[in-house]
Amino acid sequence: MKEKSVELLNKAVADELSAVHQYMYFHFHCDDQGYDLLAGLFKKTAIEEMLHIEKLAERIIFLKGDVEMLADTEVKKVQDVKEMLDMATKMEISSADDYNRWAIECANHADSVSKSLFEELVVDEERHFDQYDVEMENLQKFGINYLALQSIERSKNIAAGRPVD
Ligand SMILES: [Fe+2]
Ligand SMILES: [Fe+2]
């Protein structure tokens, strides 16, 4: 029971680390291009994924395993906003699918705490998906105006002396 749970929890750590790296990469480039809303959303989500790693790590260590802090994919150098949102929605769907299956696997070998942890993470990943999906819809609906508005908002904040995230 313990070994299988530790293996699945470490696979989740690898997935979460990849998400942290990818979303921070997106954050840097949205920030550089002046898209504050998206820059803030990617940073906030990266921080939530990091907190997922903490919960997974606590469970692994409780089960007397060790945390393999290895990302499972390399960062993709995507700098186009539509491609970023497309990739981010796919990453969230894939994480939610994995965690749903792994919750069932943990239930099957009678580890109800790991099962609940995976279920808890699915709730967050579905929310992340929804946030990215809304932004994708905005981009499709309003096109370049959607990005222009974010740049204008940044200029207003800078002019008013408000900190830019
Ligand atoms: Fe996550
Ligand atoms: Fe997520």
Side-chain angles (χ1 to χ4, degrees), residues 18-44:
S18 298
V20 170
H21 296 169
Q22 191 68 56
Y23 294 164
M24 284 311 288
Y25 181 85
F26 290 162
H27 163 77
F28 303 142
H29 282 280
C30 284
D31 186 54
D32 181 53
Q33 294 175 69
Y35 306 144
D36 284 356
L37 185 145
L38 284 173
L41 180 62
F42 282 125
K43 183 173 168 181
K44 186 174 122 306

Side-chain angles (χ1 to χ4, degrees), residues 23 45 49 52 92 124-125 128:
Y23 294 164
T45 313
E49 310 297 18
H52 288 173
E92 295 296 342
D124 283 351
E125 309 311 2
H128 295 164

Side-chain angles (χ1 to χ4, degrees), residues 15-16 19 23 45-46 48-49 52 88 91-93 95-96 99 121 124-129 132:
D15 180 78
E16 297 285 344
Y23 294 164
T45 313
E48 287 190 29
E49 310 297 18
H52 288 173
M91 284 166 66
E92 295 296 342
I93 290 171
S95 302
Y99 297 169
L121 298 191
D124 283 351
E125 309 311 2
E126 286 194 356
R127 179 171 47 78
H128 295 164
F129 165 82
Y132 292 141

Side-chain angles (χ1 to χ4, degrees), residues 2 9 11 14 21 25-26 40 49 62 71 80 120 133 143 145:
K2 179 183 92 106
L9 292 160
K11 278 169 79 170
H21 296 169
Y25 181 85
F26 290 162
E49 310 297 18
F62 176 83
D80 172 79
E120 191 189 315
D133 194 46
N145 294 332

